[in-house]
Amino acid sequence: GAVELYHNNSKKFETTSYGVLSTEAVKVNGSFIEINNSADSQYTLNKGTTQLFSIRNNSTSGVHINTQNSALLCFGVSTGTNNGTVESTLSINSSGNVGIDNQGASEKLHLADSKKLALGNSADLKIYHDGSHSYIDDTGTGNLKLRSNNFRVSNADESKISATFVPSGAVELYHNNSKKIETRSDGLQV
């Protein structure tokens, strides 16, 4: 049978066939802990007196998940079961750097059509695909700089070259993969 614990004549805790039940906030079921509280609250995981991890719910600013002492915060996706192999992770370190490692996909970061990768304090640089076309939008101050040891523009499978830019050397323009114009130290050759 059940064991029940009361406080001020109100049941607060009881044993059940699956584990224990708290009528206020916590339900433990085997290896799962379910936390339910209707008010703004914070839940912590401690080792001794050291707080390792906390989840804070605030109705005005959302859910905050924190680690302590410069620990790495990782989210993983496992296969099939609760203790399956982790296939992908999202990690955030104490400097705010985000690491994405998805071993099951060819891309390291995937955004749906029209979702923009925004960079800079004012989101001055945006990279995105709208389902039909790809865009690089630079609306900030300064220049958009493309830097490379050898810069080449070609079609998607690189079977047709449109232009090459060689540092301290020639700029070459192509038509149907055939070089038509190039700059030289003495001028332009057609």
Side-chain angles (χ1 to χ4, degrees):
V3 174
E4 299 174 343
L5 296 176
Y6 290 78
H7 178 74
N8 285 344
N9 217 16
S10 175
K11 183 168 52 173
K12 299 296 183 183
F13 192 82
E14 66 180 293
T15 61
T16 66
S17 61
Y18 56 79
V20 297
L21 173 65
S22 167
T23 58
E24 295 296 317
V26 179
K27 178 180 178 182
V28 179
N29 183 355
S31 60
F32 297 97
I33 300 173
E34 180 181 322
I35 301 171
N36 183 9
N37 190 340
S38 60
D40 293 348
S41 54
Q42 178 169 321
Y43 306 98
T44 62
L45 174 65
N46 298 329
K47 182 178 181 181
T49 59
T50 304
Q51 181 183 16
L52 302 175
F53 176 81
S54 68
I55 300 174
R56 182 169 45 95
N57 177 34
N58 181 305
S59 59
T60 58
S61 60
V63 176
H64 302 265
I65 301 174
N66 302 301
T67 61
Q68 303 299 319
N69 303 320
S70 300
L72 186 66
L73 176 62
C74 295
F75 301 92
V77 177
S78 62
T79 56
T81 62
N82 294 321
N83 59 354
T85 303
V86 174
E87 293 295 326
S88 61
T89 60
L90 169 67
S91 61
I92 306 168
N93 67 21
S94 60
S95 299
N97 297 331
V98 177
I100 298 171
D101 182 16
N102 185 343
Q103 299 170 1
S106 59
E107 295 86 16
K108 295 299 182 187
L109 174 63
H110 179 263
L111 300 175
D113 286 347
S114 299
K115 298 297 182 184
K116 299 176 182 181
L117 175 62
L119 304 170
N121 288 342
S122 300
D124 298 334
L125 178 62
K126 294 182 177 89
I127 302 172
Y128 61 100
H129 180 77
D130 68 2
S132 299
H133 304 285
S134 299
Y135 299 88
I136 299 173
D137 293 343
D138 176 26
T139 60
T141 58
N143 299 317
L144 174 63
K145 297 181 180 184
L146 303 174
R147 302 191 289 180
S148 172
N149 289 333
N150 191 13
F151 184 68
R152 183 165 91 177
V153 179
S154 67
N155 63 342
D157 69 0
E158 293 196 85
S159 63
K160 302 283 185 181
I161 299 171
S162 297
T164 61
F165 303 85
V166 180
S168 300
V171 172
E172 302 168 336
L173 300 178
Y174 292 76
H175 175 75
N176 198 21
N177 215 35
S178 175
K179 184 169 43 172
K180 299 299 179 183
I181 299 173
E182 81 175 282
T183 60
R184 302 178 63 150
S185 60
D186 60 351
L188 184 70
Q189 178 176 335
V190 179

